[in-house]
C-alpha cells in the first residue's frame, strides 16, 4: 500500500556522524491511518579521495660515481580523513626514477614518479698529483709529483705513466712536463713549472679579463654562514683560507666545500710562533690540513701565509718558507686588493662604508683582482652584497682560485 505523506505523521532516527567513515542506519517511524510502520535505510560514508604527496623536486640527477642525487628528496603526504600520513610513504629507487607511493586507510593510492638522469663522468683520464701550475725559486729544488691514470670517477687505475720534459732550476722560465698513458697516447695531461728569482715580486697578469677573486681569511666563524648565503644568492664562488681559531665552527669548512668554494690553508692557530722555524711552520700547516681533509675528504693544495709573504714578524727567513712550500707542490697567494677590514677600517666610524670604499678603490679592470677579506668581521659580511653588486654592475667576473689562477706574491721581507 502506498502511503500519502500528507496523510501521515513520522519521525526520523539516525546515528550518522558527519565526516566519520562507517555504516549507518536511518530509521523512519511512520503513523498512517492508525497503523505504525518502520522503514530503515542503510547509509555508508566512504572515502573516495586519494591522498596527496608534495615533493620538493620535479627531476633528479644521480652521480654515477657517488650514487648520490644532486638534491635531497623531501616530501609530505596528507589525506582528507587520515591527516598526515607521511610516515606511510613507501620510496622505491629505480635506475631511471624514484617512486613515492602512499595508501590511506580506505586503500586509496597515490603514486608520484620523479625522473632520474644519471650523470656519467666520462672515460679514463690522466690526473696530476699536485697542482697543474707549480713555481720553484731560482736554483731551488723541483720535486716531481707525478701523475696517474684514473677512471671517470677518479679511481686510480694500476698503470704506469710516461713522463717527458724537464725543469732547469738554474734558469728562469716556464717549463712543461707531459704525462701520458702508456696504452692510450690520447690520454695525457701537462704541468707548467715556473722558475723565477724568489726575491722579485710577482703580480697577477693583466690578461684583459676583469676578474675578482674574493678570498676570506681567519674563519670559519659565526659570520661565515651569512657570507655563504650572500654568495649563493648571486651564484658566486669564492676562496676560504681557513683556520681552527674557533674550533666550534670547523664544520663550516665542509659547508664551504659543499657549496662549491675553494678551500685553502691559512693557519691552525694564527699565532706567530708558527714562523719560529721551518719545522714549526709545517707542523701547524699539516695539522690544519688534517682538519680540512676530515671535513672535505681531501687535502688543500693552496695556502696564504698569516700576515702575507712580506710579514715582518717571522723569525725564519720567509724566502726559505716560501721556497719550501713551492718545492712540496703547494701554491701560495698574497693579494693585490685589500679592503682593510682588519686594518684601517677597524677604527672607522662607518666600517661598512670604509670596507666598501677600499674595495671599489682597489679594483682594476683588465687584470686578476685577488681581494683580501676576513669572515671574522661582521661589517665585512654586512658589506659583501653591496661589493658584489658593484662588481657585477661594472663588468667584473667573480671566480674562485683554482689550479689555473695566476699567483700574486709579495717580496719576502727577508
Amino acid at each position: 500500500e502506498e502511503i500519502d505523506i500528507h496523510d501521515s505523521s513520522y519521525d526520523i532516527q539516525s546515528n550518522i556522524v558527519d565526516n566519520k567513515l562507517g555504516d549507518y542506519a536511518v530509521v523512519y517511524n511512520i503513523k498512517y491511518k492508525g497503523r505504525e510502520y518502520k522503514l530503515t535505510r542503510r547509509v555508508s560514508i566512504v572515502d573516495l579521495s586519494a591522498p596527496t604527496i608534495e615533493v620538493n623536486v620535479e627531476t633528479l640527477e644521480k652521480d654515477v660515481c657517488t650514487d648520490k642525487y644532486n638534491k635531497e628528496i623531501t616530501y609530505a603526504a596528507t589525506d582528507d580523513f587520515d591527516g598526515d600520513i607521511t610516515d606511510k610513504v613507501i620510496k622505491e629507487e629505480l635506475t631511471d626514477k624514484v617512486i613515492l607511493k602512499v595508501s590511506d586507510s580506505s586503500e586509496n593510492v597515490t603514486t608520484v614518479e620523479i625522473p632520474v638522469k644519471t650523470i656519467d663522468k666520462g672515460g679514463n683520464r690522466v690526473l696530476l698529483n699536485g697542482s697543474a701550475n707549480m713555481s720553484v725559486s731560482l736554483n731551488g729544488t723541483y720535486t716531481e709529483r707525478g701523475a696517474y691514470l684514473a677512471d671517470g670517477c677518479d679511481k686510480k687505475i694500476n698503470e704506469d705513466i710516461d713522463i717527458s720534459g724537464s725543469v732547469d732550476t738554474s734558469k728562469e722560465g716556464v717549463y712543461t712536463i707531459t704525462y701520458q698513458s702508456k696504452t692510450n697516447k690520447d690520454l695525457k695531461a701537462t704541468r707548467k713549472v715556473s722558475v723565477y728569482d724568489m726575491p722579485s715580486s710577482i703580480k697577477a697578469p693583466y690578461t684583459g679579463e676583469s676578474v675578482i677573486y674574493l678570498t676570506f681569511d681567519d674563519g670559519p666563524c659565526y659570520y661565515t654562514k651569512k657570507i655563504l648565503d650572500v654568495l649563493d644568492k648571486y651564484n658566486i664562488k669564492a676562496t676560504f683560507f681557513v683556520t681552527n681559531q674557533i674550533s666550534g665552527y670547523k664544520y663550516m669548512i665542509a659547508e664551504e666545500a659543499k657549496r662549491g668554494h675553494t678551500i685553502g690553508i691559512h693557519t691552525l692557530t694564527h699565532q706567530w710562533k708558527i714562523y719560529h722555524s721551518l719545522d714549526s711552520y709545517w707542523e701547524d700547516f699539516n695539522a690544519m690540513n688534517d682538519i680540512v681533509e676530515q671535513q672535505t675528504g681531501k687535502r688543500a693544495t693552496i695556502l696564504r701565509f698569516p700576515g702575507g709573504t712580506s710579514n715582518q714578524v717571522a723569525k725564519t727567513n720567509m724566502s726559505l718558507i716560501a721556497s719550501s712550500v713551492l718545492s712540496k707542490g703547494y701554491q701560495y697567494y698574497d693579494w693585490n686588493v685589500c679592503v682593510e677590514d682588519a686594518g684601517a677600517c677597524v677604527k672607522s666610524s662607518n666600517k661598512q662604508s670604509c670596507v666598501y670604499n677600499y674595495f671599489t678603490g682597489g679594483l682594476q679592470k683588465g687584470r686578476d683582482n685577488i681581494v683580501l677579506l676576513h669572515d671574522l668581521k661582521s661589517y665585512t659580511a654586512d658589506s659583501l652584497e653591496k661589493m658584489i653588486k658593484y662588481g657585477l654592475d661594472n663588468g667584473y667576473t667573480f671566480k674562485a682560485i683554482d689550479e689555473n689562477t695566476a699567483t700574486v706574491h709579495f717580496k719576502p721581507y727577508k
Side-chain angles (χ1 to χ4, degrees):
E1 179 181 5
E2 291 187 3
I3 299 174
D4 186 346
I5 193 171
H6 298 291
D7 295 330
S8 64
S9 62
Y10 64 92
D11 64 73
I12 301 174
Q13 295 177 335
S14 171
N15 64 347
I16 293 177
V17 179
D18 290 341
N19 296 318
K20 184 175 181 181
L21 303 179
D23 294 323
Y24 300 94
V26 179
V27 179
Y28 301 86
N29 297 305
I30 304 169
K31 292 181 179 181
Y32 178 70
K33 293 181 179 182
R35 299 178 65 181
E36 294 184 359
Y37 300 88
K38 180 179 288 189
L39 301 176
T40 302
R41 173 179 284 134
R42 301 297 178 183
V43 178
S44 295
I45 297 179
V46 297
D47 177 14
L48 300 178
S49 299
T52 61
I53 301 177
E54 294 184 0
V55 190
N56 67 319
V57 293
E58 294 182 357
T59 61
L60 289 169
E61 294 181 353
K62 192 173 188 179
D63 190 320
V64 69
C65 299
T66 63
D67 204 33
K68 294 181 179 180
Y69 301 117
N70 62 324
K71 297 178 182 177
E72 181 181 359
I73 306 173
T74 60
Y75 51 84
T78 56
D79 183 70
D80 290 343
F81 284 95
D82 297 342
D84 185 355
I85 54 173
T86 303
D87 60 344
K88 297 184 182 301
V89 174
I90 298 173
K91 182 170 69 172
E92 183 180 8
E93 300 183 21
L94 304 178
T95 303
D96 60 343
K97 59 187 173 184
V98 173
I99 301 174
L100 302 176
K101 185 177 180 180
V102 68
S103 300
D104 63 17
S105 57
S106 298
E107 298 185 356
N108 296 304
V109 179
T110 295
T111 301
V112 174
E113 294 187 358
I114 307 170
V116 175
K117 179 182 179 181
T118 301
I119 304 301
D120 192 344
K121 295 300 182 70
N124 296 348
R125 52 189 168 172
V126 175
L127 297 180
L128 303 177
N129 293 317
S131 173
N133 292 283
M134 293 179 60
S135 301
V136 181
S137 60
L138 189 65
N139 296 316
T141 301
Y142 168 67
T143 302
E144 177 56 60
R145 303 291 299 278
Y148 59 95
L149 188 65
D151 63 16
C153 295
D154 294 345
K155 293 182 179 179
K156 189 173 183 180
I157 297 174
N158 189 22
E159 178 184 311
D160 291 336
I161 296 291
D162 288 327
I163 303 176
S164 60
S166 61
V167 178
D168 185 354
T169 60
S170 68
K171 296 180 181 179
E172 288 190 271
V174 179
Y175 299 86
T176 300
I177 308 296
T178 301
Y179 307 85
Q180 192 171 44
S181 166
K182 285 182 176 293
T183 57
N184 185 346
K185 300 301 181 182
D186 291 331
L187 299 179
K188 58 185 177 181
T190 59
R191 191 194 314 272
K192 300 291 185 182
V193 182
S194 298
V195 177
Y196 61 89
D197 187 2
M198 178 64 74
S200 64
S201 178
I202 300 178
K203 301 295 183 184
Y206 284 83
T207 61
E209 184 181 4
S210 301
V211 181
I212 295 175
Y213 291 90
L214 298 175
T215 68
F216 296 88
D217 287 9
D218 291 359
C221 63
Y222 175 80
Y223 305 109
T224 304
K225 184 181 185 304
K226 180 174 182 178
I227 288 172
L228 291 174
D229 290 343
V230 172
L231 293 171
D232 279 354
K233 180 178 179 179
Y234 293 91
N235 194 28
I236 285 172
K237 304 306 178 188
T239 303
F240 291 86
F241 290 102
V242 296
T243 73
N244 196 43
Q245 293 185 93
I246 309 176
S247 60
Y249 284 94
K250 64 185 176 183
Y251 71 93
M252 288 299 298
I253 298 174
E255 184 65 21
E256 291 165 352
K258 180 181 177 181
R259 298 200 194 189
H261 303 291
T262 298
I263 307 299
I265 303 298
H266 194 39
T267 168
L268 179 74
T269 61
H270 215 301
Q271 296 178 6
W272 300 121
K273 66 181 182 180
I274 69 170
Y275 290 135
H276 284 180
S277 68
L278 193 57
D279 287 342
S280 62
Y281 174 78
W282 282 113
E283 181 180 355
D284 180 275
F285 177 91
N286 289 327
M288 189 63 229
N289 219 353
D290 287 344
I291 293 175
V292 169
E293 186 174 24
Q294 291 166 8
Q295 293 296 318
T296 68
K298 61 181 180 180
R299 301 183 76 77
T301 60
I302 65 170
L303 62 97
R304 174 171 286 156
F305 295 117
T309 316
S310 60
N311 78 82
Q312 298 183 23
V313 298
K315 292 185 178 181
T316 303
N317 190 313
M318 280 303 298
S319 295
L320 176 63
I321 296 177
S323 179
S324 176
V325 162
L326 297 175
S327 69
K328 291 178 181 291
Y330 297 102
Q331 187 54 270
Y332 65 93
Y333 287 84
D334 289 306
W335 58 90
N336 54 10
V337 178
C338 179
V339 302
E340 291 292 337
D341 56 350
C345 293
V346 173
K347 297 182 179 180
S348 173
S349 59
N350 190 334
K351 295 179 175 59
Q352 290 186 43
S353 294
C354 181
V355 167
Y356 176 78
N357 291 334
Y358 271 106
F359 173 77
T360 57
L363 297 177
Q364 292 184 28
K365 287 291 187 70
R367 74 166 187 180
D368 289 350
N369 296 274
I370 298 184
V371 184
L372 172 64
L373 310 102
H374 296 81
D375 44 341
L376 274 177
K377 307 299 182 181
S378 62
Y379 43 88
T380 300
D382 293 338
S383 305
L384 181 59
E385 185 165 10
K386 188 177 179 182
M387 288 189 281
I388 289 174
K389 287 181 178 179
Y390 176 88
L392 295 174
D393 290 344
N394 287 273
Y396 289 92
T397 300
F398 288 85
K399 294 182 180 180
I401 291 174
D402 61 22
E403 62 182 16
N404 297 311
T405 303
T407 57
V408 172
H409 288 175
F410 294 153
K411 182 178 180 180
Y413 175 63
K414 62 179 181 177

